[in-house]
Amino acid sequence: MPDHVFALAGFTFAVTPARGAPLLPLPEAYAPFLTPDSGETPCATLTLGAAETSLADPAETTTDWACETWRLRRTASGRSFLEIHTLPHGAWVGVAEADPEFTRANLRPVAGRLGAPSALALNYPSDQALLTNRLLRLGAVVLHACGVVVEGRGYVFCGRSGIGKTTMARLWRDRGATLLNDDRIILRVLDGEVRLFSSPWHGEERMVKAGNVPLAGFFHLTQAPEHRITRIGGALSGARLVATAIAPFYAAEGIARLLEQADALTARTPSFDLAFAPHPSVIDLCLRHAG
């Protein structure tokens, strides 16, 4: 029986220790998403080994993704192998491996630029790399966006880091809105309706709330001296959404899934380009157009 069970976008995930490995706690931000174990098979099971164990390094792989701090390699059979780059020796250390559909994965609680043992069961980038890939295969898209709730309806504000998502989140919260997350949210079509779900991956605002509501609108942010809003649709609305998605752009099948979901989401929900100044009046503007 798994030791940690949490739900994201209505799907359950389990973290269970390998034989002889210690059970480590989840990061604090996962607490709102914990759920009782119903006995049903989770959509993905992550098996946590001990920090001192190692993951088998596959001999022949292709590199799907690489940056300064981590990389993802894939075997011919489709298994993914995740590594972090450590200092001072520049070594690559394996921290996770997963089957082709990301339904089962093995984890090592090792993290940071020194590759040191971690006191937590889930660590960056393992948590997001494994969970976002699994969610996309289930029809749920993770966006680089903040999500707020007003009178039971959700509003999503999308954009790159520094564009003003946290500022927007604080403006809405100061007006009495519920802030689900200031940096990463999850969307999926459920019973023909786009639903906004929270995630545990926050930005500057560390407090996150679990929950899901119907989505009233997408707002793609830029900063400006004064507010300006423009309704967008068709291919442009889908392109804006794809540009802010946390998705496996390194894999053709991942891109195909993302494009399919972007079409489904934007066909059901209005989208806007929103240039804004950091003033509470932007809230009334948004409510008039998507409220």
Side-chain angles (χ1 to χ4, degrees):
M1 181 176 293
D3 293 272
H4 296 307
V5 179
F6 57 93
L8 299 178
F11 301 109
T12 57
F13 295 79
V15 177
T16 186
R19 184 184 299 273
L23 173 62
L24 300 176
L26 296 176
E28 182 181 357
Y30 281 78
F33 304 91
L34 291 172
T35 185
D37 182 11
S38 66
E40 296 181 2
T41 302
C43 76
T45 299
L46 313 179
T47 301
L48 181 67
E52 60 271 19
T53 62
S54 61
L55 300 176
D57 188 351
E60 295 185 7
T61 63
T62 56
T63 299
D64 278 342
W65 165 261
C67 64
E68 181 181 354
T69 56
W70 65 277
R71 70 184 182 186
L72 188 67
R73 293 190 288 146
R74 185 162 44 168
T75 68
S77 65
R79 290 191 65 82
S80 292
F81 190 73
L82 182 68
E83 298 168 306
I84 58 174
H85 185 260
T86 61
L87 299 174
H89 304 297
W92 288 97
V93 175
V95 292
E97 60 174 346
D99 66 9
E101 292 299 309
F102 293 86
T103 58
R104 292 191 173 276
N106 296 313
L107 299 175
R108 285 182 67 201
V110 173
R113 293 312 307 266
L114 297 179
S118 172
L120 299 174
L122 292 177
N123 297 278
Y124 177 83
S126 299
D127 57 348
Q128 295 186 46
L130 297 174
L131 299 179
T132 58
N133 269 286
R134 184 62 188 142
L135 284 167
L136 185 58
R137 284 161 170 78
L138 295 167
V141 176
V142 180
L143 288 188
H144 199 89
C146 80
V148 300
V149 179
V150 176
E151 296 181 353
R153 303 185 73 198
Y155 300 81
V156 165
F157 300 92
C158 310
R160 58 177 171 77
S161 296
I163 203 65
K165 296 188 302 298
T166 298
T167 297
M168 185 67 76
R170 290 169 179 169
L171 289 171
W172 282 77
R173 187 181 59 189
D174 290 347
R175 277 278 295 267
T178 298
L179 173 62
L180 294 182
N181 192 295
D182 74 329
D183 196 58
R184 306 287 173 93
I185 55 88
I186 309 171
L187 299 170
R188 63 180 283 220
V189 177
L190 188 61
D191 297 328
E193 179 182 59
V194 178
R195 304 287 296 189
L196 162 64
F197 293 81
S198 186
S199 89
W201 309 306
H202 57 75
E204 295 179 26
E205 294 291 318
R206 299 183 63 85
M207 295 297 295
V208 299
K209 294 182 182 295
N212 75 93
V213 292
L215 183 63
F218 296 104
F219 298 86
H220 300 278
L221 300 178
T222 56
Q223 296 180 9
E226 58 185 25
H227 308 324
R228 185 177 64 257
I229 191 167
T230 306
R231 176 80 179 256
I232 58 175
L236 182 58
S237 61
R240 290 277 198 275
L241 187 100
V242 168
T244 58
I246 311 298
F249 294 105
Y250 43 77
E253 66 271 21
I255 295 174
R257 289 188 178 99
L258 176 58
L259 292 174
E260 180 181 357
Q261 293 304 316
D263 285 344
L265 294 167
T266 56
R268 293 170 168 84
T269 309
S271 299
F272 304 89
D273 281 339
L274 176 62
F276 81 104
H279 189 275
S281 58
V282 70
I283 297 173
D284 299 311
L285 180 67
C286 294
L287 291 174
R288 284 199 303 271
H289 283 78

